[in-house]
Amino acid sequence: MDPLWYKDAVIYQLHVRSFFDANDDGYGDFEGLRQKLPYLEALGVNTLWLMPFFQSPLRDDGYDISDYYQILPAHGTLEDFRRFLDEAHARGMRVLIELVLNHTSSDHPWFQEARKPGSPLRDFYVWSETPEKYQGVRVIFQDFEPSNWTFDPVAGAYYWHRFYHHQPDLNWDNPEVERAMHQVMFFWADMGVDGFRLDAVPYLYEREGTSCENLPETIEAVKRLRQALEERYGPGKVLLAEANMWPEETLPYFGEGDGVHMAYNFPLMPRIFLALRREDRGPIEAMLRETGNIPEAAQWALFLRNHDELTLEKVTEEEREFLWEVYAPDPRYRINLGIRRRLMPLLGGDRRRFELLHALLFTLKGSPILYYGDEIGMGDNPFLGDRNGVRTPMQWSADRNAGFSRAPYHRLFLPPVSEGPYSYHFVNVEAQQENPHSHLNFVRRFLGIRNRYAKVFGRGSLRLLPVENRRILAYEREYEGERILVVANLSRYTQAFDLPLAGYEGLVPVELFSQNPFPPVESRYRLALGPHGFSLFALRPKEEAERLYLPDWAVPGEEDKEHPLPSVSLRGGVESLFIDTFADEEAQAAFLKALGAALRERSWLALRPEGVELKDALRFRKEPPLYLTLLRLEGEGTVQEVFLPVALRQGMEGPGLFARVRGTKGYLFELSQDPEFYSLFLKRLAQGFEGRSLKAHYRGRHRGPVPEALELLRPGLAAGDGVWLQVGLVQDGGLDRTERLLPRLDFPWALKPQGGLYWERGRERRVLALTGSLPSGRPQEAFAHASKLAREGLARLQDHPVGEGALGLLAEAFKELEALARLLGVRLALLHRALREVEGEGDGVPLLNRGLGAFVEVEGEVFLVALGRESRGLPLMDLSRLAYDLERALFFSAEEVPEAEGWLALAADFLEEALFQAYQETDQRVLEAMDRFPQVMLALAQEQALREERLSRERVFRRWQEKAGDWEAPA
């Protein structure tokens, strides 16, 4: 076990009494908490802090303990607690409980015995004959107690209490008290709890002439507590100090690493609210500096709200007056120098401020604490008295009693919030589970990011960036070379600003919610944030960021260069490889063997060629030599023709290198993946191209725009400003059919060919390439588009376990990809209907055959650019091919987002359903042979897996092996 686990903790504070009632008696219990552990796990918290659950008369919500070794019967039994603890540990969650060191209940047997004259327990508490001792010590609960002394008529003396009069303080000057509290700690630690919150720890000792707070004796007692804990259990169990003090008074509790492991950052908390309303980062930065110097192994616990009032004890008078004025103008909301409101009412229900404060909570230095219900934006009832208004039952549903209990309403320990905008009818877990835009799912998504970068946020350094605009708080978190930049706008208005990022030039900020890369850093970095907006960026090397977006077909050229290249001996010129009348048979055979070996590695080929024959070749450029070739490939019992450009170059730079030339210095390249070839090719077509080989005429034209450069979308498809170019790398008749039929389809999304390159021999004619116009915008192939959307969707889910609310999270994460699947389903149905009209029904509908490869995407619109070969088939086969490509995009993208592994099968089924539903709603016909879908998909997946050894193809194949095995044909 990592002894520093608490640095990576995300803590969820809850009251067992308030969380969930399993036995319908009106009080939450441990069995109810155990049943809700899946919810907490899905939320993303990994540590639970339980408020007091011990035997108590409940005059102070359980902090008045009457038996440290017993559980309040309303909460269950010790066995219920053990079952809960075991299951929490099984889910990887740790549990912190309260250790109330300062006082007991006046009902505790110790105090009842201590009241008796001559009792041996008299010295367990602090007594005085007069209330004049310790004059000047402040009264903490000024609204309820006039003094820290109360007269007890049985004892005939005054007893000391820093809180309520029914909570007498223990006398820590008595060594027996300290031993007794150590035994309490050991009892619960033996049971398996992972740590203790030290309640009200600054007040253990009293000394005349002091404030009776943070005395050296108290610090030493805390150190002895830790020493006793580690001597008995070793490192791993933690102590968390509740010390609501100024920074210099809190820091001693850490000692030199021998005090508490954690302490609440009370000085920072109110300054976050102060900075938010002043729209100035100064209060936060000031407290970060004041609280920064703690031991390396120590940790702050960060929080926004908890079970008490938002305390304003440790602020200046000016700060308190300002905070009261802006957050609690109604005096009824004030209590004990604080504000008794929950987080969302404090923020006036403002969603943006809610998200901004959580962004700070989850990214500032320390371990964050969430108070139960704040993740759904629960409200309060400040009129319940004391601080009970922020301790109302958890709101699970709009059902009776907020889904907290089935008990009659009058038996509930407190009524749930049932009126106003925070009523449980509107604000509850059930309503927010499936809503991807809810507060709950925002917190889930953020905690997913927090947990993914747990060590950066929990253990990393924090460096404030000196942004000139003071409404902007910006800081860098860094741990072992991993850098995350956090930028927050404290203003209610949009802000523009420059980030001083000198020293980070060349790094790419990748936004963590979307995983979108921003432009590389160039010294000062200009950004803008909307009202109360924030952004998180991982700063990554440019090469790493670009690697995340490599296309599926990309050939790792550097890896090619690491392997020995085949050599081709040229005794004559390069024409001896291509032209029959100059042919060097030995050199040509070596050339075709090397080319065949390279083509076996190309994913755009539908077969792995065992033999390659040169059918025709035309010199396209003399220097440096470039030839257009027609190749006949044989393999796997099939034959295919390929139109492929091949070049001889002097250097090794560029994609497609496959052989070294001896005799004449140079290297051979196949140019299927070379954008420069496509640009040159388009320019030559625009000039009106004509050529003659020994066997055929080549004629080409292009009447559209000719951009300076074309972007390669995939091998065989390139595009530029207003133009697309398709080269028939696989001569299966698809381009011929595309040229003939697309002009006859009256769809604005079917791009009609307007030029191309044609091979003519007598009456035989083949289309080798097609060109056409393209709407303005940057195009990409549909598979790359689907992969990008899949990667973004998986990145949004990567830190969320599959569980409650999965469907809502899935729908939100894959909203764009689902829309693409539905669009493809609709357009495929329309295409099939149109093809039936122009080609006839026959035995089926002519196949699209190319799946996503038949489409390109421009600015969110998807266009058809290719049809399949001349053949007949069933619509189901086209749908299956599209479904397969969508699945492969998912599995391909998952290689970059392995943390989202658990979502893949669910996402694939989700997209298939969207595709088929859209198709059938458009076509309004029953799909033929639908019961064969698993077998069709299995055969397709197997064919594709054999075609190319890629993990994504193999995983889709294995998935359909399992699905087809589980499938039963309908009767």
Side-chain angles (χ1 to χ4, degrees):
M1 179 182 68
D2 183 355
L4 298 178
W5 62 265
Y6 53 91
K7 288 200 160 201
D8 308 329
V10 177
I11 304 171
Y12 189 87
Q13 177 194 0
L14 64 91
H15 208 324
V16 177
R17 186 178 312 123
S18 305
F19 209 57
F20 185 64
D21 175 16
N23 63 2
D24 299 332
D25 65 352
Y27 286 74
D29 43 51
F30 277 109
E31 176 56 26
L33 176 56
R34 188 187 67 81
Q35 292 177 20
K36 293 299 183 181
L37 285 175
Y39 165 80
L40 295 170
E41 183 180 23
L43 180 61
V45 300
N46 54 32
T47 304
L48 305 181
W49 157 25
L50 308 186
M51 294 165 63
F53 50 79
F54 314 101
Q55 187 68 264
S56 167
L58 299 182
R59 298 189 189 100
D60 184 23
D61 209 32
Y63 283 94
D64 50 332
I65 296 172
S66 58
D67 190 334
Y68 286 99
Y69 296 97
Q70 293 297 322
I71 290 175
L72 189 71
H75 295 153
T77 65
L78 281 173
E79 187 55 37
D80 292 333
F81 176 79
R82 287 190 182 97
R83 278 197 298 270
F84 150 74
L85 188 62
D86 288 345
E87 183 163 337
H89 285 160
R91 293 179 179 274
M93 294 172 136
R94 292 182 168 88
V95 177
L96 308 178
I97 69 169
E98 298 276 356
L99 189 58
V100 182
L101 301 169
N102 181 70
H103 52 261
T104 69
S105 167
S106 57
D107 288 4
H108 197 290
W110 293 346
F111 186 74
Q112 291 301 315
E113 181 64 26
R115 299 171 72 196
K116 300 174 183 178
S119 167
L121 290 182
R122 181 69 164 222
D123 203 29
F124 260 54
Y125 295 88
V126 181
W127 299 92
S128 173
E129 299 299 322
T130 169
E132 302 304 317
K133 291 182 69 174
Y134 312 136
Q135 287 293 307
V137 174
R138 68 189 178 102
V139 176
I140 296 173
F141 287 170
Q142 297 178 12
D143 292 358
F144 300 94
E145 300 292 342
S147 169
N148 290 319
W149 291 104
T150 293
F151 183 75
D152 179 62
V154 175
Y158 292 88
Y159 62 88
W160 178 254
H161 56 88
R162 291 305 305 271
F163 296 96
Y164 295 109
H165 68 274
H166 53 75
Q167 292 171 313
D169 276 24
L170 289 163
N171 178 20
W172 275 76
D173 280 314
N174 181 355
E176 292 301 316
V177 168
E178 184 167 343
R179 276 193 286 271
M181 298 313 295
H182 283 200
Q183 290 305 312
V184 171
M185 179 176 68
F186 295 155
F187 175 83
W188 294 101
D190 285 347
M191 201 173 293
V193 301
D194 301 284
F196 300 89
R197 173 188 180 268
L198 307 183
D199 178 67
V201 72
Y203 315 111
L204 299 187
Y205 286 84
E206 299 80 30
R207 294 292 182 267
E208 198 66 66
T210 73
S211 66
C212 295
E213 298 176 8
N214 311 305
L215 298 178
E217 294 88 340
T218 297
I219 304 301
E220 292 306 311
V222 167
K223 292 181 179 180
R224 291 193 298 272
L225 199 68
R226 173 166 179 171
Q227 182 181 6
L229 190 66
E230 294 190 345
E231 284 178 354
R232 188 176 178 108
Y233 305 102
K237 294 188 185 294
V238 304
L239 299 177
L240 168 58
E242 185 209 20
N244 181 13
M245 297 292 156
W246 292 95
E248 70 276 8
E249 297 168 337
T250 304
L251 293 175
Y253 285 91
F254 293 117
E256 300 297 325
D258 56 350
V260 296
H261 304 79
M262 305 177 73
Y264 295 94
N265 200 329
F266 278 101
L268 177 62
M269 180 272 295
R271 273 78 185 190
I272 293 176
F273 289 94
L274 183 63
L276 181 66
R277 289 307 295 262
R278 291 190 60 210
E279 300 188 4
D280 187 296
R281 67 176 185 262
I284 294 176
E285 289 187 332
M287 279 303 117
L288 288 178
R289 286 191 290 266
E290 289 291 318
T291 59
N293 188 27
I294 64 175
E296 185 176 351
Q299 181 79 321
W300 287 113
L302 307 179
F303 65 103
L304 297 172
R305 288 297 296 110
N306 60 21
H307 61 292
D308 288 328
E309 69 273 24
L310 191 162
T311 177
L312 302 179
E313 284 188 52
K314 302 306 178 183
V315 298
T316 66
E317 287 188 17
E318 297 91 338
E319 289 173 324
R320 185 182 302 119
E321 290 168 0
F322 178 84
L323 289 167
W324 264 340
E325 179 181 345
V326 297
Y327 287 109
D330 188 335
R332 292 175 298 179
Y333 295 153
R334 305 176 187 179
I335 185 175
N336 298 332
L337 292 183
I339 303 171
R340 51 178 173 184
R341 300 306 307 268
R342 264 190 179 265
L343 177 63
M344 207 57 182
L346 271 174
L347 302 179
D350 189 325
R351 170 66 178 263
R352 286 175 173 169
R353 291 196 290 174
F354 172 91
E355 294 186 355
L356 173 62
L357 288 193
H358 279 88
L360 300 180
L361 174 67
F362 295 151
T363 61
L364 285 170
K365 197 170 185 179
S367 297
I369 299 176
L370 272 174
Y371 186 48
Y372 81 95
D374 277 355
E375 72 273 20
I376 61 172
M378 259 179 68
D380 52 39
N381 184 352
F383 306 108
L384 287 177
D386 196 5
R387 293 161 291 182
N388 289 330
V390 300
R391 302 173 182 178
T392 56
M394 180 69 174
Q395 295 170 194
W396 293 104
S397 71
D399 200 359
R400 60 183 281 187
N401 300 332
F404 161 74
S405 173
R406 302 295 297 175
Y409 181 81
H410 66 274
R411 291 179 58 191
L412 299 181
F413 81 97
L414 280 177
V417 177
S418 57
E419 296 181 354
Y422 303 105
S423 165
Y424 68 82
H425 299 98
F426 313 117
V427 179
N428 61 73
V429 170
E430 185 176 79
Q432 295 194 19
Q433 290 272 23
E434 300 298 334
N435 179 1
H437 307 292
S438 66
H439 295 85
L440 174 61
N441 279 316
F442 166 78
V443 173
R444 278 181 174 171
R445 283 192 292 272
F446 211 131
L447 284 182
I449 293 173
R450 161 83 195 198
N451 290 329
R452 185 181 182 200
Y453 297 97
K455 286 186 168 54
V456 179
F457 290 124
R459 309 188 189 196
S461 62
L462 185 148
R463 184 174 73 91
L464 293 166
L465 300 184
V467 182
E468 291 183 7
N469 185 338
R470 292 190 58 80
R471 290 174 173 78
I472 300 300
L473 173 65
Y475 47 94
E476 178 207 58
R477 303 301 313 276
E478 189 274 335
Y479 182 77
E480 295 184 349
E482 179 97 55
R483 295 186 179 95
I484 292 179
L485 179 64
V486 182
V487 190
N489 177 13
L490 299 172
S491 172
R492 64 194 186 280
Y493 300 116
T494 299
Q495 300 292 319
F497 53 94
D498 287 334
L499 286 176
L501 294 179
Y504 297 130
E505 289 84 354
L507 294 180
V508 175
V510 178
E511 201 277 324
L512 292 185
F513 277 89
S514 66
Q515 293 295 305
N516 285 333
F518 275 45
V521 172
E522 296 178 1
S523 188
R524 300 191 73 82
Y525 198 80
R526 178 150 293 180
L527 284 176
L529 287 176
H532 294 132
F534 65 90
S535 288
L536 278 68
F537 299 98
L539 296 174
R540 294 176 177 161
K542 186 176 181 182
E543 300 76 18
E544 179 183 336
E546 290 175 344
R547 181 178 60 82
L548 295 176
Y549 296 91
L550 278 177
D552 179 56
W553 46 264
V555 176
E558 292 302 318
E559 293 180 10
D560 287 351
K561 296 175 186 178
E562 293 174 4
H563 295 86
L565 285 172
S567 61
V568 176
S569 297
L570 273 185
R571 289 180 286 271
V574 68
E575 57 271 18
S576 63
L577 301 179
F578 301 102
I579 308 302
D580 285 352
T581 52
F582 293 85
D584 179 337
E585 292 183 359
E586 182 178 338
Q588 193 177 75
F591 155 68
L592 293 175
K593 181 180 178 180
L595 182 57
L599 293 180
R600 281 193 287 273
E601 304 301 318
R602 301 300 186 251
S603 63
W604 48 263
L605 267 179
L607 58 76
R608 308 275 72 83
E610 298 165 0
V612 181
E613 177 184 355
L614 182 65
K615 297 291 293 181
D616 196 12
L618 174 73
R619 190 171 71 184
F620 191 70
R621 184 180 61 196
K622 185 174 183 180
E623 289 296 335
L626 192 163
Y627 279 79
L628 306 179
T629 70
L630 272 176
L631 306 172
R632 185 177 188 271
L633 310 181
E634 295 183 5
E636 303 161 1
T638 60
V639 174
Q640 209 169 56
E641 287 194 355
V642 174
F643 171 61
L644 188 69
V646 177
L648 176 66
R649 295 174 176 169
Q650 295 301 303
M652 299 177 66
E653 293 74 27
L657 173 66
F658 68 90
R660 182 191 308 272
V661 173
R662 289 185 298 166
T664 298
K665 182 182 178 182
Y667 301 89
L668 290 168
F669 295 77
E670 63 84 10
L671 304 181
S672 65
Q673 294 172 211
D674 189 343
E676 292 183 7
F677 162 74
Y678 292 86
S679 296
L680 172 64
F681 189 58
L682 184 68
K683 291 173 183 176
R684 292 288 299 275
L685 293 182
Q687 295 168 0
F689 177 79
E690 284 199 21
R692 171 73 204 198
S693 70
L694 286 174
K695 298 177 180 178
H697 285 281
Y698 292 75
R699 295 186 173 91
R701 67 181 185 277
H702 169 68
R703 299 190 179 93
V706 183
E708 278 299 312
L710 293 181
E711 182 178 354
L712 183 63
L713 306 187
R714 59 172 168 78
L717 182 64
D721 187 15
V723 64
W724 57 269
L725 166 63
Q726 215 179 156
V727 174
L729 298 180
V730 179
Q731 291 302 302
D732 59 2
L735 288 190
D736 296 84
R737 183 163 171 253
T738 298
E739 184 199 41
R740 187 177 72 254
L741 291 181
L742 281 195
R744 301 175 62 186
L745 303 181
D746 192 22
F747 299 130
W749 44 268
L751 300 182
K752 298 171 176 55
Q754 298 169 337
L757 178 67
Y758 307 90
W759 182 93
E760 298 171 357
R761 178 180 172 88
R763 295 186 176 181
E764 189 178 355
R765 180 178 182 271
R766 294 181 183 176
V767 180
L768 301 183
L770 290 174
T771 70
S773 62
L774 194 66
S776 61
R778 185 172 182 178
Q780 59 182 322
E781 62 156 344
F783 183 84
H785 180 54
S787 299
K788 176 177 178 290
L789 298 180
R791 188 181 298 109
E792 291 172 352
L794 291 171
R796 294 165 188 156
L797 295 172
Q798 62 188 346
D799 302 303
H800 296 291
V802 180
E804 295 181 7
L807 187 59
L809 288 172
L810 191 72
E812 175 63 13
F814 288 100
K815 180 188 296 184
E816 296 87 352
L817 190 54
E818 179 196 10
L820 175 63
R822 291 188 180 278
L823 179 67
L824 292 171
V826 169
R827 293 195 169 169
L828 185 60
L830 295 174
L831 179 62
H832 282 163
R833 184 187 303 166
L835 291 177
R836 284 196 298 268
E837 293 173 3
V838 298
E839 290 189 312
E841 293 276 354
D843 296 325
V845 177
L847 291 175
L848 179 67
N849 196 48
R850 296 184 185 276
L852 285 175
F855 298 89
V856 297
E857 180 269 347
V858 186
E859 300 297 322
E861 179 59 273
V862 178
F863 298 93
L864 177 71
V865 293
L867 295 174
R869 62 182 180 270
E870 299 278 1
S871 62
R872 298 279 176 177
L874 299 173
L876 178 63
M877 297 178 71
D878 279 354
L879 273 167
S880 299
R881 178 56 195 268
L882 284 175
Y884 172 84
D885 281 354
L886 289 170
E887 277 197 37
R888 190 163 65 87
L890 270 174
F891 282 93
F892 173 66
S893 300
E895 294 173 27
E896 296 295 342
V897 195
E899 297 86 351
E901 178 69 28
W903 290 92
L904 288 177
L906 194 62
D909 291 338
F910 174 76
L911 294 174
E912 276 170 25
E913 182 180 354
L915 176 69
F916 275 80
Q917 185 182 60
Y919 183 96
Q920 292 188 294
E921 288 174 354
T922 305
D923 197 78
Q924 299 295 319
R925 302 192 334 161
V926 177
L927 278 173
E928 306 94 308
M930 186 62 194
D931 57 335
R932 291 181 47 228
F933 175 62
Q935 273 65 35
V936 172
M937 283 295 286
L938 176 60
L940 178 59
Q942 183 175 25
E943 172 190 336
Q944 295 294 320
L946 292 173
R947 169 181 166 182
E948 182 187 16
E949 292 183 2
R950 271 190 182 268
L951 180 61
S952 57
R953 296 181 190 267
E954 177 63 28
R955 295 191 65 191
V956 175
F957 175 46
R958 290 201 303 268
R959 167 176 149 82
W960 282 99
Q961 277 185 311
E962 295 173 4
K963 288 179 74 73
D966 295 337
W967 171 83
E968 294 183 3

